[in-house]
């Protein structure tokens, strides 16, 4: 443990803690209402949304896991780049429709929309449960990112409680300011976090190659260390493409992404962000290459690839700057963890508690329950990381992506047409969930790629194809036998944002 | 606005989802193998495509007012 490094780290951590609490007073609203606490009053403009959505999607786990994958597996890990390229044109077209209908009807979660569109409690519950299940391990993985950094700093003791204590303290602070400030806290903290991340990465791409003899040498050294895996093998093409496509389709339908989307002021903000968010992808490309830099620098990760980036920083940067970079990564974990816990809390409160336990609850009670649930979710994630083997969290995260993809038919297609029958959607979802989980299990959770007829593809995509087929066939059947498809409370005009029709 | 503009939004999918198009070491650029700089370049091109559609949409909605 180095004193300078630690002081710099603690200074920035303290700074964002203060910001987190101050955020309650920013763009003042009545925080005892869910719209204000959980969506910050739906008032965020282009710039804040850019920081918030960016901070939400490019997480500490990304900064640790993507380079770790490059470090261990080579070119395959770079799929994160096409994935975050194609997501934005898709979002540009689809998401403003969700925003518009949510604003019109006061929807706070994706499940609110499903319930209104299909008049189906079962389908809304399926979506809410999927969202909560997929979010929990995701939060846990933010902690994994933090833990790698704390370990590199020598802050985490080697045994028992001391091993986890710094993590617990950081998380307790996060839990308190999320409780008091709601979505405003991660939004404000995201600004500081991103400035720090940008500074860190800019320094890394100038300083590290200079020390290692240039990018040409880095690629060459990585290629030697990885036995040529810095290019794809031809049988890796389909997995690469399907992973990118599947991850892109799923990304904005995670509850935390929907939360960030619905907190924006209007659809213009969303469309501008679809244009501006790729700046993060550019950054992500360089972050991924840190894995190769660690190879070229011959970093010894002692069997844990997650340590590649923190150890590389320790090796090439002076102590004060390493402290700064570590703070950036840890804060980078706090932002998404806060938004995810808020999103899970919104889902639980709106679509489970209010729906099944207290239908007549007051808006104040609703917000109070959401605040408490956001605390419980974080404690749950903490228990997860402290008490359960790390590989289990990573497996569940892998499943999370597969599961979220199974909600794409009801959400995405539902934004365009009501032809898909609600009962068919529910059955298709169940089939997709079971098939996806089974295939991941058949792989012993070692990989998210499964070969069908000799073609390797992302399990989430295979399951989605079967899910869609089931939905289409059954929709024909159910429409033919005139099974009720519920009363749609939305109308076609609700999906067109006012700034487009105006 | 003409629907033709939306074709621009398909280009990034075609350009990046077929790795056989770009899975090669040469030509390199600033030491980056083609595989890497090609995809990084498409980050910018994709943003440009989406940006053009945004501007085209805005022009049409302004013209309608």
């Amino acid at each position: 443990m180095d004193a300078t490094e630690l002081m710099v780290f603690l200074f920035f951590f303290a700074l964002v803690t203060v910001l987190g609490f101050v955020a309650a007073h920013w763009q003042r609203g009545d925080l005892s209402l869910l719209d204000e606490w959980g969506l910050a009053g739906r008032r965020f403009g282009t710039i804040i949304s850019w920081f918030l959505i960016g901070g939400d999607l490019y997480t500490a786990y990304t900064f640790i896991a993507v380079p770790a994958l490059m470090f261990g597996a080579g070119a395959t890990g770079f799929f994160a780049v096409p994935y975050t390229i194609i997501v934005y044109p898709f979002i540009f077209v689809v998401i403003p429709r969700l925003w518009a209908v949510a604003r019109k009807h006061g929807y706070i979660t994706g499940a609110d929309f499903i319930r209104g569109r299909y008049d189906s409690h079962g389908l809304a519950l399926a979506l809410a449960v999927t969202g909560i299940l997929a979010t929990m391990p995701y939060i846990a993985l933010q902690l994994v990112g933090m833990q790698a950094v704390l370990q590199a700093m020598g802050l985490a003791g080697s045994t028992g409680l001391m091993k986890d204590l710094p993590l617990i303290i950081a998380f307790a602070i996060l839990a308190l300011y999320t409780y008091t400030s709601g979505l405003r806290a991660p939004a404000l903290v995201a600004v500081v976090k991103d400035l720090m991340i940008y500074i860190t990465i800019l320094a890394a791409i100038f300083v590290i190659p200079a020390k290692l003899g240039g990018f040409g040498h880095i690629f060459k050294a990585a290629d030697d260390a990885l036995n040529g895996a810095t290019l794809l093998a031809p049988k890796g093409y389909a997995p690469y493409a399907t992973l990118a496509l599947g991850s892109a389709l799923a990304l904005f339908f995670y509850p935390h992404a929907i939360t960030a989307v619905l907190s924006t002021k209007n659809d213009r903000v969303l469309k501008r962000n679809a244009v501006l968010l790729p700046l993060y992808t550019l950054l992500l490309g360089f972050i991924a290459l840190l894995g190769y830099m660690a190879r070229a620098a011959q970093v010894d990760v002692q069997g844990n690839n997650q340590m590649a980036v923190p150890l590389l920083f320790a090796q090439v940067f002076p102590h004060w700057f390493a402290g700064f970079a570590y703070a950036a990564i840890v804060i980078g974990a706090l932002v998404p963890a806060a938004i995810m816990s808020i999103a899970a809390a919104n889902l639980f409160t709106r679509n489970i508690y209010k729906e099944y336990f207290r239908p007549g609850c007051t808006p104040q009670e609703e917000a109070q329950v959401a605040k408490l649930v956001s605390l419980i979710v974080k404690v749950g994630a903490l228990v997860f990381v402290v008490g359960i083997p790390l590989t289990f969290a990573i497996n569940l995260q892998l499943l999370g992506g597969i599961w979220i993809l199974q909600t794409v038919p009801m959400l995405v297609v539902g934004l365009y047409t009501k032809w898909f029958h609600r009962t068919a959607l529910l059955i298709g979802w169940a089939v997709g969930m079971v098939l996806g989980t089974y295939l991941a299990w058949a792989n012993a959770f070692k990989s998210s790629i499964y070969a069908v007829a000799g073609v390797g593809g992302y399990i989430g995509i295979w399951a989605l194809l079967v899910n869609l087929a089931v939905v289409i066939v059954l929709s024909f059947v159910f429409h033919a036998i005139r099974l009720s498809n519920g009363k749609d409370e939305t109308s076609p005009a609700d999906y067109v944002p006012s700034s487009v029709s105006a | 606005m003409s629907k033709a503009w939306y074709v621009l939004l398909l280009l990034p999918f075609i350009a990046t989802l077929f790795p056989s198009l770009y899975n090669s070491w040469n030509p390199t650029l600033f030491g980056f193998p083609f595989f890497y700089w090609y995809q990084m370049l498409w980050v910018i091109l994709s943003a440009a495509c989406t940006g053009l559609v945004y501007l085209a949409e805005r022009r049409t909605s302004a013209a309608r007012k």
Side-chain angles (χ1 to χ4, degrees), chain A residues 110-431:
Chain A
D112 284 351
F113 162 64
I114 292 299
R115 187 172 173 272
R117 176 65 147 165
Y118 297 98
D119 186 18
S120 166
H121 299 277
L123 207 54
L125 182 64
L127 186 74
V129 170
T130 313
I132 294 170
L133 274 180
T135 302
M136 292 291 289
Y138 214 154
I139 301 175
L141 283 191
Q142 299 311 315
L143 298 177
V144 171
M146 287 168 79
Q147 216 167 20
V149 165
L150 295 171
Q151 212 178 324
M153 290 180 71
L155 268 183
S158 52
T159 50
L161 186 63
M162 278 315 290
K163 179 165 174 284
D164 298 311
L165 193 61
L167 197 62
I168 293 171
I169 294 171
F171 232 51
I173 293 172
L174 166 74
L176 287 178
Y177 67 63
T178 311
Y179 184 92
T180 54
S181 309
L183 195 64
R184 286 172 171 80
L188 209 50
V189 172
V191 178
V192 178
K193 169 225 155 186
D194 278 349
L195 293 177
M196 293 176 73
I197 293 275
Y198 273 89
I199 291 170
T200 302
I201 300 306
L202 282 176
I205 56 181
F206 286 105
V207 172
I208 301 176
K211 285 197 175 179
L212 296 176
F215 274 107
H217 179 76
I218 289 170
F219 280 106
K220 200 83 198 59
D223 199 54
D224 289 341
L226 289 161
N227 297 319
T230 49
L231 287 181
L232 295 170
K235 71 172 171 49
Y237 292 168
Y240 192 81
T242 50
L243 265 177
L245 180 66
S247 310
L249 288 179
L251 184 62
F252 270 77
F253 301 103
Y254 270 99
H256 55 277
I258 292 183
T259 298
V261 159
L262 296 187
S263 71
T264 58
K265 187 164 62 179
N266 59 41
D267 69 296
R268 280 267 170 89
V269 168
L270 288 170
K271 292 191 165 181
R272 277 191 207 127
N273 265 295
V275 180
L276 297 174
L277 280 164
L279 269 177
Y280 284 97
T281 302
L282 215 46
L283 191 71
L284 180 68
F286 285 108
I287 290 170
L289 295 178
L290 290 175
Y292 288 173
M293 296 182 199
R295 276 289 181 192
Q298 294 176 320
V299 167
D300 178 12
V301 298
Q302 298 181 339
N304 181 3
N305 291 352
Q306 314 278 340
M307 296 299 289
V309 166
L311 291 178
L312 176 69
F313 285 176
Q315 195 169 320
V316 296
F317 285 142
H319 288 303
W320 68 270
F321 196 76
F324 178 84
Y326 291 160
I329 297 176
V330 167
I331 297 164
L334 297 180
V335 171
I339 308 172
M340 287 168 193
S341 71
I342 289 170
N346 287 349
L347 272 174
F348 177 82
T349 308
R350 296 279 294 190
N351 308 108
I352 295 177
Y353 180 78
K354 196 177 176 193
E355 190 79 45
Y356 294 96
F357 296 100
R358 294 269 301 174
C361 81
T362 64
Q364 283 75 15
E365 184 184 340
E366 188 182 64
Q368 190 55 41
V369 170
K371 289 179 187 180
L372 281 174
V373 173
S374 85
L375 283 183
I376 296 168
V377 166
K378 278 191 280 281
V379 172
L382 196 56
V383 170
F384 215 91
V385 168
V386 172
I388 293 168
L390 174 58
T391 48
F392 192 65
I394 294 174
N395 291 344
L396 276 179
Q397 156 67 4
L398 185 159
L399 281 174
I402 296 169
W403 292 340
I404 289 291
L405 262 179
Q406 306 317 313
T407 65
V408 163
M410 57 178 111
L411 278 169
V412 180
V413 183
L415 286 172
Y416 290 89
T417 165
K418 216 199 152 201
W419 184 80
F420 279 8
H421 195 283
R422 58 181 182 176
T423 313
L425 281 167
L426 190 59
I427 297 171
W429 167 83
V431 169

Side-chain angles (χ1 to χ4, degrees), chain A residues 70 75 78 82 85-86 89 92-93 215-216 219 223 230-232 237 240-241 244-245 268 271-272 275 278 281-282 285-286 289 292 500-502, chain B residues 6 9 12-13 16-20 22-25 30-33 35-36 39-40 42-44 46-47 50-51 53-54 57-58 61 64-65:
Chain A
M70 300 282 287
F78 214 64
I85 288 176
I86 59 179
F92 182 90
V93 175
F215 274 107
F219 280 106
D223 199 54
T230 49
L231 287 181
L232 295 170
Y237 292 168
Y240 192 81
L245 180 66
R268 280 267 170 89
K271 292 191 165 181
R272 277 191 207 127
V275 180
T281 302
L282 215 46
F286 285 108
L289 295 178
Y292 288 173
V500 171
S501 60
Chain B
Y6 286 102
L9 297 179
F13 288 82
T16 60
L17 289 184
F18 298 93
S20 51
Y22 54 82
N23 189 41
S24 81
W25 189 277
F30 307 122
F32 283 64
F35 181 82
Y36 296 91
Q39 292 183 77
M40 302 282 264
W42 264 100
V43 178
I44 299 163
S46 172
T50 320
V53 177
Y54 175 76
E57 261 188 7
R58 226 178 50 165
S61 73
R64 223 183 283 152
K65 269 175 195 166

